[in-house]
C-alpha cells in the first residue's frame, strides 16, 4: 500500500538558518508528490509539486524540493528560514485513483 | 485568485445529531474531495466525487456519511448521527481534472462533537 513517512515530528531552526524537512514515500509507480503547508487555523496551501522531469522543483515562498527515486525521498528545503515559515508541513503522494495520501506532518518552529 | 470556501469554520454538535458541512469549490473545477484531520493525526481521505457520483470512498466513509452537490456551486458532507470520534477538522478540496492536477483545499471546518 502507498504510504508517506515524515520522520521528524518537530523541527526547530533559528531564523536565517537553512531548513530540510524529510519525506519518504512508498509507491510502486512513478509518484506524483506534493508539499503542503498549514499555518495555525488555516487550510492546506500547496508549496510545490513533482510530476515528472527535473527532479529539483521550485515552489512558492522560496522553497524547493528534490525527488530522489533511488532513496524514495522528496525532501523540502529552504536556504534561509523566516519567522513566518513557522507552520506544519505535509508531504503527500497522489495514488492511482488521484486521492492524496499524506504523511503525519512536521511542525516547524523558528527561533528568533 | 479563486479559492475554495467552507462554512461554518467551527461547528459544535451533540452526539447523535446530524451535521452538514458546506463547501464552495472553485467554479470551473469538476472533481471534489473531502478529507479529515483528527487532532494530532495525519490528513485522511474520505471521499471523492465527480459527475454527481462518488468516485471513491475510504473505509472511514461509512453509511453515516453522505455527500451531495445540491446545486451548481455547493458541495456538502453530511454526517447523519455524529459520534465523539467524528470530532476533527474537515477539509474540502477541488481540482480541475484528475491526474496531474493539484487539489486546492479550503480552510476547513472544525467539528466538535460533545
Amino acid at each position: 500500500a502507498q504510504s508517506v513517512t515524515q520522520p521528524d515530528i518537530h523541527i526547530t531552526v533559528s531564523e536565517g538558518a537553512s531548513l530540510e524537512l524529510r519525506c519518504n514515500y512508498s509507491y510502486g509507480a512513478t509518484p506524483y508528490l506534493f508539499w503542503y503547508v498549514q499555518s495555525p487555523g488555516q487550510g492546506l496551501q500547496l508549496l510545490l509539486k513533482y510530476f515528472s522531469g527535473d527532479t529539483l522543483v521550485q515552489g512558492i515562498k522560496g522553497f524547493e524540493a528534490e525527488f530522489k527515486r533511488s532513496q524514495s525521498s522528496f525532501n523540502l528545503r529552504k536556504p534561509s528560514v523566516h519567522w513566518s515559515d513557522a507552520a506544519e508541513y505535509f508531504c503527500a503522494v497522489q495514488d492511482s485513483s488521484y486521492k492524496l495520501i499524506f504523511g503525519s506532518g512536521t511542525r516547524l518552529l523558528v527561533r528568533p | 485568485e479563486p479559492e475554495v470556501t467552507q462554512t461554518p469554520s467551527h461547528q459544535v454538535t451533540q452526539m447523535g445529531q446530524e451535521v452538514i458541512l458546506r463547501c464552495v469549490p472553485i467554479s470551473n473545477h469538476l472533481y471534489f474531495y473531502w478529507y479529515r484531520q483528527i487532532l494530532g493525526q495525519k490528513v485522511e481521505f474520505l471521499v471523492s466525487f465527480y459527475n454527481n457520483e462518488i468516485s471513491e470512498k475510504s473505509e472511514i466513509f461509512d453509511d453515516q456519511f453522505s455527500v451531495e452537490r445540491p446545486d451548481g456551486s455547493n458541495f456538502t458532507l453530511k454526517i447523519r448521527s455524529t459520534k465523539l470520534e467524528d470530532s476533527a477538522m474537515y477539509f474540502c478540496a477541488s481540482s480541475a481534472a484528475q491526474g496531474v492536477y493539484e487539489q486546492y483545499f479550503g480552510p476547513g471546518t472544525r467539528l466538535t462533537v460533545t
Side-chain angles (χ1 to χ4, degrees):
Chain A
Q2 302 95 338
S3 65
V4 176
T5 302
Q6 293 181 248
D8 303 306
I9 298 173
H10 295 103
I11 281 189
T12 301
V13 299
S14 297
E15 191 167 16
S18 63
L19 169 71
E20 181 167 28
L21 302 183
R22 295 183 290 165
C23 172
N24 292 96
Y25 66 90
S26 171
Y27 189 67
T30 300
Y32 297 152
L33 295 159
F34 304 80
W35 274 99
Y36 283 86
V37 61
Q38 184 182 28
S39 299
Q42 303 294 310
L44 297 164
Q45 181 182 23
L46 181 69
L47 284 175
L48 47 78
K49 58 186 182 282
Y50 171 78
F51 290 150
S52 65
D54 194 347
T55 56
L56 184 65
V57 293
Q58 302 297 319
I60 62 170
K61 305 186 181 188
F63 286 93
E64 66 179 26
E66 187 170 14
F67 170 62
K68 292 185 177 179
R69 185 186 297 276
S70 62
Q71 297 177 20
S72 298
S73 69
F74 188 55
N75 294 348
L76 182 71
R77 299 195 295 248
K78 186 169 185 177
S80 177
V81 168
H82 188 263
W83 64 266
S84 59
D85 293 324
E88 185 137 25
Y89 292 80
F90 293 93
C91 182
V93 66
Q94 189 177 57
D95 77 359
S96 55
S97 64
Y98 309 113
K99 67 179 182 287
L100 294 173
I101 298 166
F102 286 87
S104 302
T106 298
R107 182 165 296 280
L108 173 65
L109 304 173
V110 180
R111 277 193 297 257
Chain B
E1 185 177 328
E3 59 182 17
V4 177
T5 60
Q6 290 185 244
T7 54
S9 57
H10 192 191
Q11 172 98 43
V12 181
T13 190
Q14 289 190 324
M15 199 166 49
Q17 295 297 303
E18 175 184 285
V19 293
I20 297 176
L21 309 184
R22 291 183 167 80
C23 169
V24 179
I26 294 173
S27 63
N28 62 344
H29 283 188
L30 301 175
Y31 293 82
F32 313 111
Y33 307 83
W34 284 101
Y35 293 81
R36 80 171 185 189
Q37 183 184 28
I38 294 172
L39 189 64
Q41 297 187 24
K42 62 176 68 177
V43 178
E44 303 172 287
F45 167 79
L46 289 179
V47 66
S48 57
F49 189 86
Y50 168 69
N51 200 26
N52 282 319
E53 287 184 347
I54 290 175
S55 304
E56 184 179 353
K57 58 184 181 180
S58 71
E59 58 191 27
I60 303 167
F61 195 90
D62 61 22
D63 292 344
Q64 293 300 311
F65 290 87
S66 62
V67 289
E68 194 178 36
R69 189 153 160 83
D71 53 42
S73 59
N74 289 284
F75 178 50
T76 62
L77 174 69
K78 182 193 291 186
I79 309 174
R80 255 180 281 281
S81 177
T82 49
K83 303 191 268 290
L84 294 175
E85 54 265 37
D86 294 327
S87 295
M89 180 75 92
Y90 288 81
F91 293 106
C92 173
S94 70
S95 66
Q98 285 197 324
V100 296
Y101 293 90
E102 64 187 81
Q103 293 176 25
Y104 292 82
F105 283 77
T109 293
R110 178 162 296 287
L111 176 65
T112 302
V113 183
T114 61

